[in-house]
């Protein structure tokens, strides 16, 4: 999994605003999220993985141990139970909403060659909407 470690900058985002709409993210936050150019940094230290996402407005850090469920507040404000696993060289994260009125999501981070990271997001139960973000190694 060393290939996925590093720092990456987003180069494109397909269906991102639509994805955020389905999660009931308000208009101003959606606009801010779609015009920003986030940097994602993936590191690992003694079995604890970290995925830091930073923009000029906001920074977030996801820390996890593979296969260990944990509580978190998602970037869009949902209270979720999360679990991250490695599947075929990919980091797969499942965020299960604690409230029935909120959505659960699945995200996959995978390398496409040595310098491009593909970040795919889906909402559980909505197979027609797929958000694909591409990042380049910096």
């Amino acid at each position: 999994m060393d290939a996925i470690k590093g720092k990456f900058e987003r180069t494109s985002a397909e269906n991102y605003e639509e994805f955020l709409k389905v999660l009931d993210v308000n208009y101003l936050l959606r606009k801010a999220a779609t015009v920003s150019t986030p940097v994602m940094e993936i590191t690992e230290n003694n079995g604890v993985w970290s995925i830091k996402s930073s923009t000029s407005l906001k920074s977030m850090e996801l820390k996890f141990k593979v296969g260990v469920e944990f509580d978190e507040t998602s970037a869009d404000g949902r209270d979720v139970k999360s679990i991250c696993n490695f599947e075929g060289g990919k980091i797969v994260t499942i965020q299960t909403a604690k409230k029935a009125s909120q959505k659960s999501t699945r995200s996959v981070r995978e390398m496409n060659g040595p310098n491009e990271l593909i970040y795919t997001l889906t909402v559980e139960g909505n197979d027609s909407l797929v958000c694909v973000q591409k990042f380049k190694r910096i």
Side-chain angles (χ1 to χ4, degrees), residues 62-76:
L62 172 66
K63 282 191 164 194
F64 64 93
K65 289 185 176 183
V66 175
V68 178
E69 192 174 60
F70 58 98
D71 294 315
E72 72 166 320
T73 301
S74 66
D76 54 273

Side-chain angles (χ1 to χ4, degrees), residues 49-51 60-64 70 72 84 93 109:
W49 286 80
S50 168
I51 302 175
M60 296 200 63
E61 183 174 16
L62 172 66
K63 282 191 164 194
F64 64 93
F70 58 98
E72 72 166 320
C84 301
T93 304
R109 293 172 177 91

Side-chain angles (χ1 to χ4, degrees), residues 40-126:
M40 179 189 308
E41 184 173 14
I42 302 174
T43 58
E44 180 266 335
N45 187 11
N46 294 325
V48 177
W49 286 80
S50 168
I51 302 175
K52 292 180 187 173
S53 299
S54 308
T55 68
S56 56
L57 297 174
K58 186 176 185 176
S59 293
M60 296 200 63
E61 183 174 16
L62 172 66
K63 282 191 164 194
F64 64 93
K65 289 185 176 183
V66 175
V68 178
E69 192 174 60
F70 58 98
D71 294 315
E72 72 166 320
T73 301
S74 66
D76 54 273
R78 292 171 294 129
D79 285 325
V80 297
K81 281 224 176 267
S82 297
I83 190 164
C84 301
N85 286 299
F86 293 143
E87 296 177 12
K90 304 171 186 179
I91 300 175
V92 178
T93 304
I94 306 293
Q95 292 180 318
T96 304
K98 292 180 181 179
K99 293 181 184 173
S101 61
Q102 295 180 327
K103 308 273 193 299
S104 298
T105 58
R106 181 178 196 269
S107 66
V108 179
R109 293 172 177 91
E110 63 186 303
M111 295 303 297
N112 180 31
N115 295 311
E116 184 178 54
L117 183 141
I118 308 291
Y119 181 35
T120 306
L121 301 126
T122 54
V123 174
E124 295 294 314
N126 184 345

Side-chain angles (χ1 to χ4, degrees), residues 5-19:
K5 294 178 187 174
K7 193 178 270 193
F8 304 87
E9 182 178 65
R10 188 170 71 194
T11 57
S12 69
E14 176 185 319
N15 293 327
Y16 190 32
E17 184 164 5
E18 293 83 354
F19 178 80

Side-chain angles (χ1 to χ4, degrees), residues 10 13-35 121 123 129-133:
R10 188 170 71 194
E14 176 185 319
N15 293 327
Y16 190 32
E17 184 164 5
E18 293 83 354
F19 178 80
L20 295 173
K21 265 188 200 176
V22 169
L23 295 178
D24 294 323
V25 174
N26 76 48
Y27 177 80
L28 287 176
L29 290 177
R30 284 197 318 264
K31 288 301 171 195
T34 55
V35 300
L121 301 126
V123 174
L129 178 62
V130 179
C131 172
V132 178
Q133 299 183 35

